[in-house]
């Protein structure tokens, strides 16, 4: 474990590291291993079936740092252990929960766990404690410099305000945050997962993010992990007239758990009006206790719902505390299965703190307080319980207390047996603490070793900041934490509120909430060391972009090599000239420095630009594009070796004798025999027509194809433009694009035999025109041939005054496939603005992946996935759709491809200031 000091000190300090060794004893002459069972040799009472292991078995700490140990006991139903430090008095301290705090002196010490089922069974871990020479430990309560930027991370998720309301730590140290995200039209449940350094975990959901859409308005208030690591998130969802309890369960990859409820989601009406879940608890059998409030038609009451581990409702209970509004904020489970719910109650003048205890079946426990209820004013005016923890025989709560003009942090401790105040805590069982100038509140509480840790907010005189405070178990502030037991964190000068905290296995503290950026809220996280120091190694990452140090660069084409490496191609403009640019990435998304010059290859095309790339079976690369030569534009082809070395160049024009015509390349495809087909448009007379050419394996024009290697085809009455090309298994060639027909634009296709002649068996004389959308205006941008020979095209069509994703599927003879969508056509609205589809790819299971953009304020990457019949695959992204902002401005996905493992790679560009950059994103299948 690294010991992090303020940056100015870290450069002047060094540490002397001691060797790590493991203490173990043998059994019957056998050897031992790290953290394994210690058995007394020759003791006949020792049961060989019971064993203990410790994690970690060895650890290196600095003085006063903490480490959480865990013990696994096998061979008995009694898993309890007793913890001790072998070097009592000098070796540090350990809590009954296994949280070790290192000594103030350096040395080698031993943590011992003893089985309560058989006290002869022990296991020992070795702790090496180091002291920094010439240095001191950082001040407790400061941010953890190993986390994000200065210990802080903010994440913008949707199109507006986003906020975190809950946080949990997975067993692998990854951080799950739950809250609400705005999707551009309404609110959704939001899940985010961060790696330990604060970067979004790209293996989770979409780029680390999951938006869960129940209805036109949803929000999540709490999150928990069940025993299998599945994520349970809960809040509220709109049913069309009011709000209901809403729960969802997701697996570790961020996919909906379809064994839970309906498609991973459950909605439950509790009262006669609005209901919402505020807190959940998971029982040992993974059944769920959900607590919140329900409206009875006049006011809100406490509400409790019990679900089994499949999301089936077992029972629900509504409990009025007073005669006015009652609000729930926290829930906790006792070891005996009883349930405590806490919040506040309106007494007619202001609010008082309140708790209710239920038996495990949900009936009121009349042995608690007054017939199962406890109402306990914490101050002289409004107060509430926002968080609660049960520790042995005590209930510890945190919230706020107001005197009518200002609020302060409030804590109270109650006896678990009957709900009475524990008068040994604070003053008469209560503690009230001010953090800032005025208006403080606690929203979350955790027990950290022998301390009580709370998080919330404080007013600094201008706006609100994250606030943390740590207390001794008797209620006094812990003076070793922060400044007098308190610490505050400001993000960007706006209102920052910590709504949840969690403690990592290494003792570090993660606080999650919200930070106002201009008028929107973003998810905000801060991480603190176990002793309160800010973790600066927690970094904030966006999606993969590459600045080519040119004026502008956009990826327009994409190919995946057999070894999994990814090549993206497109244009870069240095302010004076266009250059065709290739970049090769490793399968992990890192630039492959063995390709070109440090992974980047640029080729000057005399004022033209690049188009498409294909990879030959021998690994060599054909790149095709448009170049300016001899006064007009022609098709150009470049051949590169596997490492990016330039091997050759050739061009072809479509005018008389290959002369002036202005030809623009848009697509390329590699035949099985290694010849390269390229297609686009050529200007003939007054209009553009389809243009097709073929090059041999050396990159020279194939004069045996068409007329001297070229074919020109007029499709409609005016301009015809090629956008895409595909090869059938029988060698036939299909071109797709669009054609002007009067005042509208149709999808346009043409099919050719392998020699370049039109295939008369396709459509009308080898040609097809298809109107798409309500306006009949549509543009093809991509085409794919299915394994059954059907032809699927994708693009965009003008529909209800906006452009939307559009797909059309044809039978082999060119007729529309009536089994696909509606009459062979599918139109998908991605969001409320213009959407455009630029590329398609087909999965081995027949599903169709489309990529492009969606524009509301600016444009973002957009992907959709469809079943083979054209119906959206709702298991993909958010009900079949993904909107992914790459940066703060315009982003477009121009190409999409599949890796051999099924992962989906999208490439395009994002606007960074005044110039575009290559942008890539990868998605799980």
């Amino acid at each position: 474990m690294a010991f992090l000091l303020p940056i100015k000190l870290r450069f002047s300090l060094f540490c002397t590291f001691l060797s790590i060794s493991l203490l173990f004893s043998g059994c019957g002459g056998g050897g031992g291993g790290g953290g394994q069972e210690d058995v007394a040799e020759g003791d006949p009472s020792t049961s060989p079936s019971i064993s203990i292991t410790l994690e970690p078995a060895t650890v290196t700490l600095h003085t006063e740092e903490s480490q959480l140990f865990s013990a696994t006991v096998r061979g008995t139903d009694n898993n309890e252990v007793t913890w001790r430090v072998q070097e009592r008095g000098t070796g540090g301290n350990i809590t009954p929960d296994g949280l070790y705090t290192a000594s103030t002196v350096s040395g080698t010490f031993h943590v011992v766990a003893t089985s309560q089922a058989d006290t002869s069974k022990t296991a020992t871990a070795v702790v090496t404690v180091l002291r920094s020479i010439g240095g001191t430990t950082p001040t407790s309560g400061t941010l953890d410099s190993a986390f994000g930027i200065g210990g802080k991370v903010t994440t913008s998720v949707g199109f507006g305000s986003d906020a975190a309301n809950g946080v949990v730590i997975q067993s692998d140290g990854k951080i799950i945050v739950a809250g609400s995200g705005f999707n551009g039209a309404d609110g959704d449940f939001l899940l985010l997962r961060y790696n330990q350094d604060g970067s979004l975990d790209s293996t989770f959901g979409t780029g680390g993010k999951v938006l869960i859409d129940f209805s036109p308005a949803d929000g999540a208030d709490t999150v928990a992990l069940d025993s299998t690591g599945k994520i349970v998130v809960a809040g509220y969802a709109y049913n069309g007239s009011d709000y209901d309890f809403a729960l969802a369960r997701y697996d570790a990859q961020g996919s909906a758990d379809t064994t839970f409820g309906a498609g991973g989601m459950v909605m439950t009406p509790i009262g006669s009006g609005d209901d919402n879940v505020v807190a959940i608890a998971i029982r040992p059998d993974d059944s769920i206790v959900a607590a919140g409030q329900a409206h009875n038609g006049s006011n809100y009451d406490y509400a409790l719902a019990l679900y089994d581990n499949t999301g089936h409702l077992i029972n629900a209970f509504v409990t009025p505390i007073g005669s006015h509004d009652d609000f729930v904020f926290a829930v906790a489970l006792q070891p005996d299965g009883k349930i405590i719910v806490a919040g506040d109650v309106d007494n007619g003048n202001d609010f008082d703190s309140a708790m209710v205890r239920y038996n495990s079946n949900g009936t009121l426990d009349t042995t608690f307080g007054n017939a199962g209820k406890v109402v306990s004013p914490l101050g002289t005016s409004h107060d509430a319980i926002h968080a609660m923890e049960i520790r042995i025989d005590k209930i510890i709560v945190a919230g706020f207390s107001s005197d009518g003009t200002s609020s302060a942090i409030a804590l109270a401790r109650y006896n678990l047996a009957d709900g009475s105040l524990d008068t040994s805590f604070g003053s008469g069982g209560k503690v009230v603490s001010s953090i800032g100038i005025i208006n403080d509140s606690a929203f979350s509480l955790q027990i950290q070793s022998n301390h009580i840790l709370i998080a919330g907010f404080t007013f600094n005189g201008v706006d609100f900041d994250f606030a943390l405070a740590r207390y001794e178990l008797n209620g006094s502030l812990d003076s070793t934490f922060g400044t007098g037991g308190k610490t505050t964190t400001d993000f960007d000068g706006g209102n920052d509120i910590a709504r949840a905290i969690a403690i990592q296995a290494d003792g570090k503290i993660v606080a999650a909430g919200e930070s106002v950026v201009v008028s929107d809220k973003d998810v905000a996280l801060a991480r603190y060391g176990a002793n309160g120091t800010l973790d600066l190694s927690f970094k904030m990452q966006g999606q993969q972009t590459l600045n080519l140090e040119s004026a502008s660069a956009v990826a327009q084409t994409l190919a995946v090599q057999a070894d999994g490496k990814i090549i993206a191609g497109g244009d870069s403009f240095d302010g004076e000239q266009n250059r065709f640019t290739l970049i090769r990435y490793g399968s992990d998304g890192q630039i492959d420095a063995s390709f070109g010059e440090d992974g980047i290859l640029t080729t000057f095309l005399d004022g033209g630009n690049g188009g498409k790339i294909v990879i030959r079976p021998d690994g060599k690369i054909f790149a095709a594009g448009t170049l300016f030569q001899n006064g007009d534009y022609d098709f150009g082809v470049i051949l590169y070796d596997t490492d990016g070395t330039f091997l050759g160049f050739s061009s072809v024009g479509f005018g008389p004798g290959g002369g002036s015509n202005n030809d623009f390349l848009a697509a390329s495809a590699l035949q099985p025999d290694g010849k390269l087909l390229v297609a686009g448009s050529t200007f003939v007379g007054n209009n553009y027509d389809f243009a097709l050419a073929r090059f041999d394996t050396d990159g020279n024009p194939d004069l045996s194809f068409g007329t001297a290697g070229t074919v020109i085809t007029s499709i409609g009455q005016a301009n015809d433009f090629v956008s895409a090309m595909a090869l059938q298994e029988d060698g036939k060639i299909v071109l797709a694009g669009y054609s002007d027909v009067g005042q509208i634009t149709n999808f346009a296709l043409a099919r050719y035999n392998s020699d370049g002649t039109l295939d008369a068996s396709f459509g009308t004389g080898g040609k097809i025109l298809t109107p798409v959308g309500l306006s009949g205006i549509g543009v093809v941008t991509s085409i794919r041939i299915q394994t059954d020979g059907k032809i699927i095209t994708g693009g965009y069509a003008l529909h209800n005054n906006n452009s939307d994703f559009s797909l059309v599927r044809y039978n082999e003879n060119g007729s529309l496939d009536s089994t696909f969508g509606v009459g062979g056509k599918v139109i998908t609205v991605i969001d409320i603005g213009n959407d455009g589809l630029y590329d398609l790819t087909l999965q081995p299971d027949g599903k169709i992946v489309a990529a492009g953009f969606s524009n509301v304020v600016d444009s973002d990457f957009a992907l959709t996935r469809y079943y083979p019949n054209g119906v959206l695959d709702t298991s993909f992204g958010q009900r079949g759709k993904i909107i992914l902002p790459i940066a703060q401005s315009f982003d477009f996905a121009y190409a999409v491809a599949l890796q051999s493992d099924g992962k989906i790679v999208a490439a395009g560009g994002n606007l960074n200031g005044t110039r575009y950059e290559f942008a890539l994103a990868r998605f799980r299948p």
Side-chain angles (χ1 to χ4, degrees), residues 677-745:
L677 290 162
V678 293
S681 305
T682 182
F683 192 75
V684 180
N686 297 314
N687 300 308
Y688 281 93
D689 291 331
F690 276 22
L692 177 64
R694 189 165 71 189
F695 293 80
D696 63 23
T697 56
D698 294 323
N700 300 310
D702 178 8
L703 301 181
S704 69
F705 182 78
T707 302
T710 64
V711 174
I712 299 174
T713 307
S714 175
I715 306 296
Q717 303 167 355
N719 290 319
D720 310 313
F721 296 96
V722 170
S723 303
M725 173 170 49
L727 289 179
Q728 296 186 174
E729 287 188 359
D730 59 4
K732 291 182 178 181
I733 306 155
V734 185
L735 300 187
Y738 53 98
S739 179
D740 292 337
V741 181
Q743 299 299 310
I744 62 175
T745 302

Side-chain angles (χ1 to χ4, degrees), residues 150-240:
K152 300 175 279 187
V153 170
T154 59
T155 304
S156 179
V157 178
F159 298 90
S161 294
D162 315 306
N165 295 322
V167 61
V168 289
I169 309 295
Q170 295 185 166
S171 59
D172 60 3
K174 292 183 179 181
I175 303 162
I176 298 283
V177 171
S180 301
F182 186 66
N183 64 21
D186 51 55
D188 289 332
F189 274 33
L190 166 66
L191 283 175
L192 302 171
R193 188 162 73 189
Y194 298 86
N195 296 309
Q196 293 188 51
D197 64 355
S199 60
L200 280 167
D201 177 9
S202 60
T203 68
F204 182 79
T206 302
K209 311 171 187 178
V210 173
L211 284 171
I212 307 168
D213 187 14
F214 280 81
S215 65
D218 326 311
D221 285 320
T222 184
V223 64
L225 298 175
D226 70 12
S227 65
T228 66
K230 290 180 179 178
I231 305 158
V232 182
V233 59
Y236 57 88
Y238 191 65
N239 64 21

Side-chain angles (χ1 to χ4, degrees), residues 147 198 245 632 678:
F147 188 80
F245 272 29
D632 70 350
V678 293

Side-chain angles (χ1 to χ4, degrees), residues 554-614:
V554 175
Q556 298 162 313
T557 182
L558 186 69
V560 179
Q561 296 183 171
D563 60 2
K565 291 183 178 179
I566 303 161
I567 299 179
D571 300 325
S572 61
F573 180 66
D574 61 9
E576 295 181 358
Q577 296 174 326
N578 279 327
R579 297 178 185 274
F580 181 53
T581 301
L582 295 177
I583 303 172
R584 190 161 72 187
Y585 303 84
S587 59
D588 60 357
Q590 301 297 315
I591 300 294
D592 177 12
S594 69
F595 182 79
E597 184 176 347
D598 295 326
I600 303 171
L601 181 65
T602 60
T603 304
F604 177 54
L605 292 179
D606 292 335
N609 51 61
K612 301 296 182 179
I613 57 174
V614 294

Side-chain angles (χ1 to χ4, degrees), residues 9 73 173 279 284 289 297 307 353 355 436 521 538 567 635 693 699 760 772-773 786 821 847 849:
L9 293 178
V73 182
V289 176
Y307 300 87
S353 296
M355 294 187 297
K521 289 187 294 186
F538 188 78
I567 299 179
F635 286 12
V772 182
Q786 297 185 171
K847 290 182 180 179
V849 179

Side-chain angles (χ1 to χ4, degrees), residues 447-470:
I447 303 299
Q448 185 191 29
S449 185
N450 289 315
H451 297 92
I452 303 165
L453 182 68
I454 64 94
F457 68 84
T458 183
F459 188 68
N460 62 23
V462 178
D463 49 44
F464 292 99
D465 293 332
F466 271 32
L468 277 73
R470 193 164 71 187

Side-chain angles (χ1 to χ4, degrees), residues 3-16 132-138:
F3 180 61
L4 297 172
L5 296 172
I7 292 173
K8 291 182 181 179
L9 293 178
R10 284 165 57 191
F11 287 110
S12 62
L13 302 180
F14 66 95
C15 295
T16 302
S132 298
I133 298 176
T136 59
T137 58

